[in-house]
């Protein structure tokens, strides 16, 4: 028997372990909540991160292909995005730069009016800096790459804005020295001071970068939070009495071994990063129908932080540029543009394949043609980049960010490659398109190349494919005053679905203009500070009445597949049956059931032990006993409330199995099937509790 579909009092599930999820896990655990963090990726040890520097299988995220790493890159119709999956989320591949945005960000009209956001977030920025151990990059960490960036800033008349970046890295007094926790009065893990290896962006295997597993997540576990790695959340389903069931799977397993038990929680915090959060919420709203009241702004106002990523490759035999942290200095060529240099030790195999000649042009098609023309006319020059020896030692990337107005939308639509599946796709937004070409980025790249003697390069996903490329995607579930202007309110609660929250970069409605990790952390701190203890919430909030079920068989099957199985005792009483699905099925099914021995079938009656009987003749006569137990489904292998008939029942009923799962409004969605192995499919019907009192005790056999 399963437990009743009621979450444990005071339970919170946090989906994702990046900046928003890690902050939420710690702070809510400190407030007395029972916190479970669900992370689809693995927990990567220092040895794993070191192996990833030389092994693509250990570096790349791709469990369906046998890869066991963390780094991923996705290209949509209008943008390319990089990130990481694993315990710690984006902090695994984070450059550790911690900058507070300028006034333009806080003054952007996309923010809800009535709140002074800079003042509102000031204390939370301070907390984030303390928790992440932010310090200014020391002078001893600079090297020739920083000199070249200063020369570029000088050439652009911006030398006065050049400086060392604040970073979440433990530098200590000298490189490579391990000490007891220097940040949390001994409550954190031992730390090793930065070796200046230049590999922050590929994961720090030495314990110097202040990734989330060394602060927020470490302390959250000490406070009682549980972290379940290799647990992907595929659906969020409201429960009849309040709270949510999370349908989970293991992305590294195959077949039915992928199934993970459902997680029940009074409250759910979605912190899966913009792409993960959008995929989950859009799928639940638009395909599964389990979160139908999320408003029309879901997926809107997606920003790329108005970024461009360029590169410079030094000539063969040049001194190595790898000494230092990945990012150590920056400058501002104008009031709305921020530029950092990037060292990249680890992952160079992929980088070298991503760059081509530097080409200007606002017209994406003309720029693509010119880029291809140069590659075709000068193939040897291009091959010298792709096949360069000591690529990582000779390469510099420039990340150029702006506070801009570029706007995209993410939607749940049919895949152009596999049209029988729905996937996350991009579309133009309501404002100007996200830029794939920033003139100031190319100007800075030329200035750096001229100062250093290198070759300036563009990312081909920008110059040929015309996509904006970013590691800092924002928005999609933005804060707003109501459901017509946002997805969450100022408490981060989703409009229309009480007890469901979003706490990651998805809520940010404007381009940050600098590396956004500090802002994401500060917003999550503000969210958690307003959350309150379990006592202040007073238990789970019941779900709204469920919308009508879809008419299509495929849509009904998808909805049924993600629903939780109730316990046997919840069946006690009379249940009125209704056929659902296409009109022809609803018309034919009652006649077919009558012809098979259940004339004018009305529904089912059960006692508290799972003994049941069918009700026919409009509910006035009992016929055909049955038994309900919790068992694996013949259709998908997950738990169902299984109703079967005794071996001596007439044909075909002795072979029939009704597989029941519970809808958010308390009804049961059932699939009636005859088990035929992997091809088993079911015909749908709904059982709704009848309000009348059972006046007769049925004659079904006692439960075993």
């Amino acid at each position: 028997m399963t437990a009743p579909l009621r979450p444990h009092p005071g339970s919170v599930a946090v989906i994702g372990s990046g900046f928003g999820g890690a902050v939420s896990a710690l702070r809510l655990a400190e407030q007395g909540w029972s916190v479970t963090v669900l992370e689809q990726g693995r927990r990567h040890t220092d040895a794993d991160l070191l192996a990833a520097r030389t092994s693509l299988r250990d570096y790349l995220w791709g469990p369906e292909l046998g890869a066991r790493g963390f780094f991923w890159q996705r290209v949509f119709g209008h943008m390319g995005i990089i990130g990481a999956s694993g315990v710690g989320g984006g902090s695994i591949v984070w450059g550790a730069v911690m900058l507070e945005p300028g006034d333009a960000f806080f003054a952007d009209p996309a923010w809800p009016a009535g709140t002074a956001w800079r003042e509102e977030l000031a204390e939370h920025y301070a907390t984030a800096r303390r928790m992440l151990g932010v310090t200014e990059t020391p002078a001893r960490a600079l090297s020739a790459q920083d000199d070249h960036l200063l020369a570029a800033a000088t050439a652009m008349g911006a030398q006065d804005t050049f400086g060392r970046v604040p970073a979440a890295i433990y530098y200590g007094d000298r490189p490579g020295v391990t000490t007891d926790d220097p940040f949390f009065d001994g409550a954190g893990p031992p730390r090793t001071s930065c070796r200046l290896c230049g590999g922050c962006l590929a994961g720090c295997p030495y314990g110097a970068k202040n990734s989330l597993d060394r602060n927020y997540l470490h302390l959250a576990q000490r406070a009682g939070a549980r972290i379940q790695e290799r647990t992907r959340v595929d659906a969020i389903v409201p429960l009849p009495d309040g709270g949510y069931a999370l349908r989970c799977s293991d992305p590294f397993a195959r077949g039915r071994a992928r199934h993970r038990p459902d997680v029940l929680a009074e409250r759910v915090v979605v912190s899966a990063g913009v792409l993960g959060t959008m995929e989950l919420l859009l799928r639940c709203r638009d395909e599964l129908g389990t979160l139908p009241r999320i408003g029309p702004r879901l997926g809107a106002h997606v920003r790329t932080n108005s970024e461009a990523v360029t590169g410079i490759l030094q000539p063969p035999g040049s001194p190595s540029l790898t000494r230092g942290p990945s990012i150590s200095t920056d400058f501002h060529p104008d009031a709305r543009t921020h530029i950092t240099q990037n060292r990249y030790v680890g992952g160079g195999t992929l980088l070298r394949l991503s760059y081509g000649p530097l080409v200007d042009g606002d017209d994406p098609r003309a720029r693509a043609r010119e880029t291809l023309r140069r590659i075709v006319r000068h193939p040897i020059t291009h091959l010298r980049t792709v096949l360069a020896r000591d690529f990582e030692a000779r390469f510099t990337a420039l990340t150029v960010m702006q506070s801009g107005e570029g706007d995209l939308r993410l939607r749940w639509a049919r895949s152009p490659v596999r049209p029988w599946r729905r996937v996350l796709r991009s579309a133009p937004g309501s404002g100007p398109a996200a830029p794939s070409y920033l003139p100031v980025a190319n100007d800075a790249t030329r200035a750096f190349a001229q100062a250093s003697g290198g070759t300036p390069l563009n990312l081909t996903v920008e110059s040929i494919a015309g996509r904006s490329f970013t590691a800092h995607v924002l928005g999609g579930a933005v804060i707003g005053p109501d459901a017509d202007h946002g997805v969450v309110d100022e408490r981060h609660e989703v409009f229309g679905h009480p007890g469901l929250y979003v706490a990651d970069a998805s809520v940010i409605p404007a381009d940050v203009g600098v590396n956004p990790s500090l802002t994401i952390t500060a917003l999550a701190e503000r969210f958690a500070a307003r959350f309150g203890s379990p006592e202040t919430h007073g238990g789970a909030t019941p779900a709204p009445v469920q919308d009508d079920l879809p008419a299509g068989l495929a849509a009904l099957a998808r909805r049924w597949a993600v629903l939780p199985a109730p316990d046997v005792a919840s069946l006690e009483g009379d249940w009125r049956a209704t056929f659902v699905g296409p009109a022809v099925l609803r018309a034919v099914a009652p006649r077919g059931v009558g012809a098979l021995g259940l004339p004018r079938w009305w529904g089912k009656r059960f006692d508290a032990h799972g003994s049941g009987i069918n009700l026919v003749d409009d509910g006035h006569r009992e016929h055909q006993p049955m038994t309900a137990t919790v068992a694996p489904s013949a259709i998908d292998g997950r738990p169902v409330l299984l109703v079967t008939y005794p071996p001596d029942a007439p044909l075909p009923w002795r072979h029939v199995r009704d597989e029941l799962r519970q809808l958010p409004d308390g009804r049961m969605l059932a699939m009636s099937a005859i088990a035929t192995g992997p091809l088993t499919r079911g015909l749908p019907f709904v059982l709704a509790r009848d309000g009348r009192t059972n006046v007769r005790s049925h004659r079904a056999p006692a439960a075993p």
Side-chain angles (χ1 to χ4, degrees):
M1 179 182 297
T2 61
L5 284 178
R6 294 185 182 89
H8 187 274
S11 55
V12 173
V14 178
I15 302 172
S17 62
F19 290 97
V23 173
S24 300
L26 172 60
R27 300 309 183 200
L28 300 191
E30 289 176 335
Q31 292 170 18
W33 292 90
S34 175
V35 177
T36 301
V37 179
L38 306 173
E39 168 56 56
Q40 69 169 344
R42 297 169 51 235
R43 185 185 293 275
H44 296 277
T45 65
D46 290 345
D48 294 333
L49 297 176
L50 189 60
R53 294 194 173 187
T54 55
S55 166
L56 285 179
R57 186 186 180 202
D58 293 306
Y59 177 59
L60 296 178
W61 168 260
E64 67 282 354
L65 301 175
R68 57 193 181 196
F70 46 86
F71 177 83
W72 51 259
Q73 176 174 318
R74 297 179 63 176
V75 178
F76 294 86
H78 303 81
M79 61 182 170
I81 302 170
I82 60 173
S85 293
V87 176
S91 76
I92 302 173
V93 296
W94 159 59
V97 176
M98 303 297 284
L99 292 164
E100 192 170 323
D103 292 337
F105 169 69
F106 299 102
D108 194 296
W111 286 101
T115 299
W117 286 98
R118 179 180 282 285
E119 292 74 14
E120 177 80 9
L121 289 172
E123 65 174 298
H124 304 300
Y125 275 117
T127 301
R129 281 190 285 267
R130 176 179 58 82
M131 290 294 299
L132 293 168
V134 177
T135 184
E136 185 180 75
T137 301
R140 61 180 169 83
L142 307 188
S143 62
Q145 191 178 85
D146 304 288
D147 295 336
H148 299 327
L149 189 70
L150 173 58
T154 302
M156 300 180 75
Q159 64 271 22
D160 291 343
T161 69
F162 176 85
R164 290 174 274 157
V165 299
I169 296 173
Y170 174 57
Y171 285 104
D173 295 325
R174 54 192 178 92
V177 177
T178 301
T179 63
D180 292 337
D181 165 51
F183 296 108
F184 306 110
D185 297 325
R191 305 302 302 277
T192 300
S193 54
C194 181
R195 297 167 50 146
L196 306 178
C197 70
C200 308
L201 295 173
C204 177
Y206 305 117
K209 188 171 71 170
N210 298 339
S211 50
L212 295 168
D213 57 316
R214 303 184 190 277
N215 39 68
Y216 280 104
L217 293 174
H218 178 89
L219 298 175
Q221 288 183 282
R222 285 177 60 101
R226 297 168 300 280
I227 299 177
Q228 289 185 204
E229 58 178 306
R230 296 178 55 164
T231 303
R232 172 184 288 158
V233 177
D234 299 313
I236 303 173
V237 184
L239 295 173
D241 295 323
Y244 294 88
L246 307 184
R247 175 53 51 90
C248 301
S249 63
D250 179 354
F252 291 88
R254 295 291 177 269
R256 292 187 175 181
R258 293 171 61 93
H259 297 168
R260 286 287 187 98
D262 290 350
V263 174
L264 307 185
E266 282 190 348
R267 282 167 173 75
V268 174
V269 181
V270 185
S271 303
V274 171
L275 296 190
T277 294
M278 290 303 99
E279 283 180 325
L280 179 58
L281 296 183
L282 284 167
R283 181 171 186 251
C284 287
R285 187 191 68 177
D286 296 347
E287 181 177 359
L288 303 177
T290 59
L291 298 176
R293 286 174 173 75
I294 299 182
R297 308 314 297 167
L298 181 63
H301 302 300
V302 173
R303 307 293 189 107
T304 64
N305 214 20
S306 295
E307 288 189 18
V309 183
T310 62
I312 305 94
L313 185 65
Q314 302 306 125
S318 299
S320 174
L321 299 176
T322 59
R323 184 183 176 278
S326 284
I327 303 173
S328 46
T329 52
D330 66 351
F331 76 98
H332 294 264
D334 56 55
R336 58 189 294 260
T337 305
H338 175 245
I339 299 177
T340 64
Q341 47 62 237
N342 298 257
R343 300 173 181 88
Y344 212 112
V345 174
T349 300
L350 296 177
L351 268 179
R352 69 176 71 228
L353 301 175
S354 303
Y355 278 90
L358 190 81
V359 176
D360 296 318
D362 289 316
D363 183 337
R365 293 184 179 180
R367 189 182 183 206
R369 288 194 298 268
E370 177 60 20
T371 301
L372 291 170
R373 186 186 69 82
R374 292 190 192 182
I375 292 173
V376 170
R377 291 190 63 181
H378 305 285
I380 302 301
T381 300
H382 184 62
L383 287 174
R384 284 174 181 160
T385 299
V386 174
L387 303 177
R389 292 184 179 180
D390 302 320
F391 179 88
E392 293 176 354
R394 296 162 49 194
F395 180 76
T396 299
L398 299 184
T399 302
V400 183
M401 292 165 269
Q402 291 188 328
S403 52
E405 299 179 353
D407 185 75
L408 294 171
R409 185 181 186 93
L410 290 171
R411 57 195 179 96
W412 195 247
R414 294 195 180 278
S415 166
V417 178
R418 294 178 289 180
W420 59 91
R421 292 189 57 189
R422 295 181 185 274
V423 297
L424 197 64
R425 300 185 67 180
S426 67
S430 57
S436 61
Y437 169 65
L438 297 178
V440 67
N442 279 16
D443 292 344
T445 305
R446 286 193 181 91
F448 189 108
Q450 184 173 358
S452 65
T455 301
L457 305 168
N458 275 140
L459 272 177
T460 53
V461 72
E462 295 177 349
S463 61
I464 295 177
R467 269 75 165 171
S468 176
F469 189 82
T470 183
H472 306 125
V473 63
L474 310 166
V478 301
I479 295 175
D482 52 51
D484 292 328
H485 299 90
V487 176
V488 302
D489 61 21
E490 290 196 23
R491 296 176 53 251
H492 292 231
E493 191 168 25
V494 176
F495 291 113
H497 288 280
L500 179 63
Y501 305 84
V502 178
D504 60 16
S506 305
V507 305
I508 299 177
D511 281 330
V512 180
V514 295
N515 306 65
S517 51
L518 183 65
T519 296
I520 299 168
T521 307
L523 277 166
E525 285 279 7
R526 175 184 177 273
F527 155 71
R530 292 176 164 222
F531 199 81
S533 68
E535 292 75 20
T536 63
H537 280 263
T541 303
V545 175
Q546 178 71 11
D547 287 357
D548 292 338
L549 290 170
L553 287 177
L556 281 165
R558 288 193 295 268
R559 176 82 62 87
W560 176 84
V562 300
L563 297 175
D567 67 309
V568 171
S570 66
L571 272 182
E572 184 178 12
D574 288 359
W575 295 80
R576 182 76 167 93
T578 305
F579 289 101
V580 292
V584 63
L585 176 64
R586 299 197 306 271
V588 171
R591 297 183 179 91
V593 170
L596 294 173
L598 294 179
R600 294 184 299 282
W601 181 49
W602 184 89
K604 298 177 185 288
R605 173 178 292 160
F606 293 94
D607 66 16
H609 305 289
S611 297
I613 200 160
N614 280 298
L615 300 175
V616 297
D617 291 338
D618 296 325
H620 297 294
R621 185 165 62 90
E622 297 176 335
H623 183 67
Q624 202 65 267
M626 56 200 169
T627 304
T629 58
V630 175
S633 165
I635 298 173
D636 64 14
R638 289 188 177 273
V640 292
L641 194 49
L642 175 63
V643 177
T644 56
Y645 297 87
D648 59 352
L651 291 172
W653 299 106
R654 68 185 67 171
H655 301 297
V656 170
R657 45 190 294 141
D658 295 332
E659 299 190 354
L660 280 59
R661 287 177 175 153
Q662 193 159 43
L663 288 160
D665 58 9
R667 294 179 297 166
M668 303 289 178
L669 179 58
M671 290 290 175
S672 186
I674 295 177
T676 55
L679 298 180
T680 301
R681 297 293 183 269
L683 293 178
F685 64 92
V686 165
L687 293 176
R689 188 177 294 279
D690 187 58
R692 69 187 185 182
T693 303
N694 292 343
V695 296
R696 292 177 293 176
S697 60
H698 59 72
R699 297 177 297 277

